[in-house]
Amino acid sequence: MTGEALIEQAISLETAASTSETHTHQAAVASDGAKAEHSHDAGDDALVSRDVQRAGLPLATTLTGGALGVIFAVVWNVCTRRVNGRATPNAVALALAGWLAVAAVPFLIIPPNPPAVGSSESIDHRTAIWFVAVLLGLGAVIVWYVLRRWIQTQNPTSPLASIYPVAASIILIATGWMLMPATGTDYSGFPADLLWNFRMSAAATQLTLWVCLGLSFQFLIKRYSQRDRRP
């Protein structure tokens, strides 16, 4: 609900800016003695109206969460098979790794923007950057896991098993962030507080989703295990 209110504020700013630009264009055309006509208007209907977007938000959230849950279950099952009878992977820890890879790292590299920020011409460019950022996040998690397992295999009591993997992941993320091309987004004229609140709302939503996913999965795993142990 908080994010929806922020989106409405951003849309209002976008509509006001578009209307002002239209009026300026009309005045410029009229001053040349031409007809004050324009090819488009600020009131043009969007492909999907705001009413439809608001009504479809719960359904879209449910479908997204369900799809993410299926992917999470598949990854957890693969991790369970790879431990070869050792301790069952902790679903909360796996959810934290997923959040870091799919949400946190992309957020640091290309944080979400509300309506009125960014142009439609740069959507493909920004989408490509986001996709690379997700791959970078996944790579950082894999590097952390592989390096940690290798150090533990070589020297199980080494305190470096916790330090080196984290440092390597941070270096990888920082290097990718520095090499990533700029999005070219223009933030001039947009309220900084609205931008900040929107991004914090988006980050909180992602964190809540992954935490609930990990806790729910861990709870169900424990109940299933207890049921199997009953005589």
Side-chain angles (χ1 to χ4, degrees):
M1 295 300 293
T2 303
E4 189 67 21
L6 297 172
I7 291 176
E8 291 292 346
Q9 295 180 38
I11 291 177
S12 299
L13 292 174
E14 184 179 34
T15 302
S18 180
T19 302
S20 176
E21 182 180 354
T22 299
H23 290 164
T24 302
H25 175 68
Q26 288 178 329
V29 173
S31 65
D32 292 336
K35 293 181 179 180
E37 297 180 350
H38 49 279
S39 59
H40 63 278
D41 185 80
D44 285 346
D45 294 332
L47 294 177
V48 180
S49 66
R50 285 297 297 153
D51 292 336
V52 175
Q53 292 177 17
R54 282 190 289 265
L57 181 60
L59 176 61
T61 303
T62 302
L63 292 177
T64 302
L68 185 61
V70 171
I71 297 174
F72 184 84
V74 172
V75 174
W76 184 88
N77 186 51
V78 172
C79 293
T80 302
R81 293 182 179 183
R82 288 187 63 84
V83 296
N84 297 326
R86 293 190 295 270
T88 302
N90 188 285
V92 177
L94 185 60
L96 176 61
W99 171 76
L100 287 171
V102 180
V105 172
F107 182 89
L108 294 174
I109 294 177
I110 178 170
N113 292 323
V117 175
S119 61
S120 58
E121 290 79 8
S122 63
I123 289 180
D124 291 341
H125 178 64
R126 286 181 283 137
T127 302
I129 293 178
W130 175 85
F131 182 73
V132 174
V134 172
L135 294 180
L136 180 64
L138 291 172
V141 171
I142 293 173
V143 166
W144 173 85
Y145 176 77
V146 172
L147 185 57
R148 184 171 182 270
R149 288 291 303 274
W150 182 79
I151 294 177
Q152 288 179 337
T153 302
Q154 299 298 318
N155 188 358
T157 60
S158 174
L160 300 179
S162 299
I163 300 175
Y164 280 3
V166 173
S169 298
I170 292 176
I171 292 173
L172 177 62
I173 295 172
T175 302
W177 177 72
M178 289 186 294
L179 296 177
M180 204 72 69
T183 60
T185 305
D186 183 14
Y187 297 100
S188 60
F190 193 86
D193 57 340
L194 179 56
L195 180 63
W196 172 262
N197 292 334
F198 176 84
R199 289 177 172 176
M200 290 301 100
S201 176
T205 300
Q206 286 289 330
L207 181 59
T208 301
L209 173 63
W210 283 96
V211 168
C212 291
L213 178 61
L215 292 176
S216 300
F217 205 84
Q218 187 68 21
F219 172 76
L220 293 175
I221 291 171
K222 286 185 176 181
R223 290 201 60 180
Y224 183 80
S225 300
Q226 291 172 358
R227 187 184 66 178
D228 286 348
R229 287 196 295 266
R230 292 176 182 174

